[in-house]
């Protein structure tokens, strides 16, 4: 029943199923496990006559809705009046003009927000709202679902309600838990009648998730230990010579990471190591040191990068350096000419290190003796892609694997969930690197402060002429949420404090295209171009290439520039609608600047006039990715009951990773379960379900 297609659920036809599929909800199981991301408690509304300042819930009809522009640009104010049979209060929303269209005048709604004195009058500020008849289905507590492709939270509620009778058929999953707990917990997660229900359901589901993760990671370690790799003996004098010839002094963190890697490669079992380091911490050099050692040991090395630009940057950065030591490096991307010749050289072993993109993965790219695979920005690759490369090793042997990522896994998480994965951390920046100065600012300031700041950047003399010297001044990234205006109302998913809004919050965003147009008007003598994920790869590469060489002054882009592009001459990044991004992503984006010697800046533009969120304030204060990752984990953990915790591909439904007691219990139970040996196979759903985690926590 659980693995049946989602169409089996009443009310889900082919069209809805298609949308759900895109959101990763394919089976009945997926549907049940699509847990609310939050709950809104509308219990115990007060009558309007009895309201007191503070957080309140009222129940009534709304009328007199209208939106106006504030004097300050880019701020819209939507107002209305909520009435019940005891009185009326004014409600106000900022930058949520869709509210005008949201309500039917003859229906009752709950409103939950802050009742406060503003400009001499009491008002209900930015309340969340829900149709009373919707909420009443599950008592006073209303689950909030993430919207997907036109399906709103309400639609999910309606659909899950239609599937109520199916919960009874959900079988047990874990042998370590009482029978029936799973189905009850899932039911209560969707239909809680009290806060306690939510807590209990969450407790079980968190345990289940931890059990699966830990089991996956333990099984992975077992699998990896069965594999054989080519052992590479450590050649101290050669490495010392190499290090001495580098144009800079290695950081201690780089030394430690390289040493970890050398020790791994001396072993018979393949290395399975993740190299984590904040943007700019110098991962590429560690990769080069690993590659050098592997080649000395008679092996070929493949370095896989997610984009052509990155592959080229690596090639230019480490190719010549390794060349001095007799290492033959080649670049293989979609644009490579004479591919057949190059592939012949790879096959015959005439090339030692191949740096490339997906072009490396094609079946006709064969190696003579591939013994080390390095994957940059590993979360950008699917499991199949990684595996494809691993399989290119000569028969019977597995290559060593070094995966690199700039997405920090919080330390608390490393110790628990990834306890079986080998991790090296670059927690130290190369000397001379300047921290990026970060400022939160309301968009309204743009004319007075931001534009002059931008002009100043573009008038500065170019920084490092690393990838081209066409720059007239220093350069700017401008990040937008949406590509064009049709997508500009995409729901806002950042896990902000306002996430409790039942009616799919949509902040007003300016699209890449519109922003480009405006900036061209503001800076008529500058070259402003745009970049987004829907462009053809060749187009994207052309724009990125032109930006890297300095031809473009301002690059307006969606988050596609997030991947480790290195343009040291770009020294300002403006992130519009900053409040709609997660902390980790903002930090990643900020890492696009601060890569040269000039002081760099990051402007976080917020749209509302509310106090900036804790996330933004933390970002303003700190440049430390690991610290921010911990903060992120904490903020999302207890704050959002069911936050979608994203760690690259690891999409945990429940932020339970800080619950050390629960982790300890799951660990004990997993050990017990592993004791069953072949008997584990009987738990089919569990064993097949953890494959998704196995593929994430292992690297090969
Ligand atoms: P990331 O970890 O983000 O991939 P990179 O490997 O791209 O970082 O390194 C960022 C920049 O720092 C590069 O230009 C690189 O040459 C330089 N770099 C790396 N290690 C050092 C070091 N020990 N001292 C000074 N500069 C370094
Ligand atoms: Mg990098």
């Amino acid at each position: 029943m659980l693995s049946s297609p989602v169409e089996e659920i009443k009310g889900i036809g082919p069209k809805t199923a298609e949308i759900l599929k895109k959101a990763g909800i394919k089976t009945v199981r997926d549907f049940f496990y699509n847990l609310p991301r939050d709950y809104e408690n509308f219990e115990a509304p007060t009558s309007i006559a009895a309201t007191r300042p503070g957080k309140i819930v009222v129940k009534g009809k709304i009328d007199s809705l209208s939106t106006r522009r504030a004097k300050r640009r880019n701020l819209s104010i939507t107002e209305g009046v909520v009435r019940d049979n005891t009185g009326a209060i004014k409600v106000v929303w900022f930058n949520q003009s869709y509210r005008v269209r949201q309500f039917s005048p003859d229906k009752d709604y709950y409103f939950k927000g802050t009742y406060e004195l503003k400009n001499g009058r009491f008002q209900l500020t930015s309340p969340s709202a829900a149709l009373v008849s919707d909420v009443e289905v599950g008592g006073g507590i209303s689950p909030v679902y993430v919207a997907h492709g036109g399906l709103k939270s309400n639609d999910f509620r309606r659909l899950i309600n239609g599937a109520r009778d199916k919960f009874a058929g959900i079988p047990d999953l874990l042998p370590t838990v009482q029978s029936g707990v799973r189905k009850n917990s899932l039911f209560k997660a969707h239909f809680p009648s009290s806060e306690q229900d939510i807590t209990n359901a969450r407790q079980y589901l968190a345990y289940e998730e931890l059990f699966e993760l830990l089991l996956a990671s333990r099984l992975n370690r077992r699998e990896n230990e069965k594999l054989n790799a080519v052992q590479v003996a450590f050649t101290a004098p050669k490495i010392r010579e190499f290090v001495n010839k580098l144009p800079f002094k290695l950081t201690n963190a780089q030394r430690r990471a390289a040493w970890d890697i050398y020790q791994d490669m001396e072993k018979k079992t393949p290395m399975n190591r993740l190299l984590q380091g904040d943007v700019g911490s110098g991962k590429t050099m560690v990769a080069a040191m690993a590659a050098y050692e592997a080649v000395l040991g008679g092996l070929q090395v493949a370095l896989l990068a997610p984009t052509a630009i990155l592959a080229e940057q690596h090639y230019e950065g480490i190719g010549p350096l390794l060349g001095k030591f007799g290492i033959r490096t080649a670049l293989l991307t979609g644009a490579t000419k004479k591919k057949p010749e190059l592939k012949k050289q790879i096959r015959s072993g005439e090339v030692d290190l191949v740096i490339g993109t997906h072009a490396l993965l094609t079946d006709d790219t064969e190696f003579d003796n591939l013994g080390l695979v390095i994957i940059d920005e590993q979360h950008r690759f699917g499991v199949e892609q990684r595996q494809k490369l691993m399989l290119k090793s000569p028969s019977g042997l597995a290559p060593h694997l070094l995966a690199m990522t700039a997405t920090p896994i919080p330390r608390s998480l490393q110790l628990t969930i990834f306890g079986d994965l080998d991790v090296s951390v670059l927690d130290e920046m190369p000397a001379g690197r300047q921290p990026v100065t970060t400022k939160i600012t309301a968009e309204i300031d743009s004319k007075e402060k931001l534009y002059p700041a931008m002009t100043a950047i573009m008038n500065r003399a170019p920084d490092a002429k690393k990838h081209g010297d066409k720059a007239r001044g220093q350069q700017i990234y401008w990040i937008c949420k949406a590509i064009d205006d049709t997508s500009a109302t995409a729901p806002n998913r950042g896990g902000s404090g306002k996430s409790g809004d039942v009616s799919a919050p949509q902040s007003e965003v300016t699209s890449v295209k519109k922003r480009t147009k405006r900036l061209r008007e503001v800076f008529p003598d500058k070259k402003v171009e745009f970049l987004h994920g829907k462009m053809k790869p060749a187009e994207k590469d052309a724009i990125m290439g032109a930006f890297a060489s300095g031809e473009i002054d301002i690059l307006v882009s969606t988050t596609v520039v997030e991947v480790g592009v290195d343009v040291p001459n770009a020294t300002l990044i403006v992130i519009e609608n900053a409040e709609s991004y997660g902390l980790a992503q903002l930090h990643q984006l900020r890492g696009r600047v601060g890569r040269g010697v000039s002081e760099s800046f990051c402007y976080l533009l917020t749209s509302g006039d509310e106090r900036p969120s804790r996330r933004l304030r933390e970002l303003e204060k700190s440049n430390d990715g690991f610290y921010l990752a911990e903060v992120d984990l904490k903020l999302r953990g207890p704050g959002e009951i069911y936050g979608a915790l994203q760690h690259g591909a690891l999409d945990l439904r429940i932020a339970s990773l800080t619950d050390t007691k629960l982790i300890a219990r799951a660990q004990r139970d997993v050990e017990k379960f592993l004791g069953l040996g072949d008997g584990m196979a009987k738990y089919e759903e569990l064993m097949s379900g953890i494959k998704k985690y196995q593929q994430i926590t292992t690297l090969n």
Side-chain angles (χ1 to χ4, degrees), residues 248-256 281-282 426 428-431:
F248 42 67
K249 208 170 153 266
L250 288 178
T251 64
N252 286 327
Q254 282 172 316
R255 274 171 203 279
R256 273 197 303 272
S281 59
L426 298 185
E428 187 187 349
M429 284 288 168

Side-chain angles (χ1 to χ4, degrees), residues 13 42 116 133 144 157 182 282 286 289 372 387 398 413 418 433 444 499 534 566 569-570 582:
F42 292 107
E116 59 184 0
S133 57
V144 183
R157 250 194 331 252
R182 182 195 195 195
V286 176
M289 292 178 69
L372 171 64
Q387 270 165 354
L413 218 153
F418 293 97
R433 200 58 58 75
I444 316 113
S499 62
K534 291 230 173 94
D566 190 18
N569 191 45

Side-chain angles (χ1 to χ4, degrees), residues 263-281:
Q263 283 183 308
D264 283 356
M265 292 204 297
E266 282 192 304
K267 293 191 188 128
K268 209 171 78 210
T269 51
M271 167 164 76
N272 192 30
R273 183 167 291 276
L274 182 67
L275 177 62
Q276 285 187 68
D278 226 334
V279 282
S281 59

Side-chain angles (χ1 to χ4, degrees), residues 232 234 239 242 257-267 271 286 288-290 292-293:
V232 179
F234 179 52
I239 297 297
F242 180 81
W259 177 238
D260 289 342
I261 290 165
Y262 293 153
Q263 283 183 308
D264 283 356
M265 292 204 297
E266 282 192 304
K267 293 191 188 128
M271 167 164 76
V286 176
M289 292 178 69
Y292 181 50
E293 170 79 351

Side-chain angles (χ1 to χ4, degrees), residues 280 283-284 310 314 376-377 404 564 595:
K283 294 185 288 293
T284 316
L310 275 178
H314 287 326
D376 193 18
E377 309 293 345
M404 306 197 285
R595 303 176 78 88

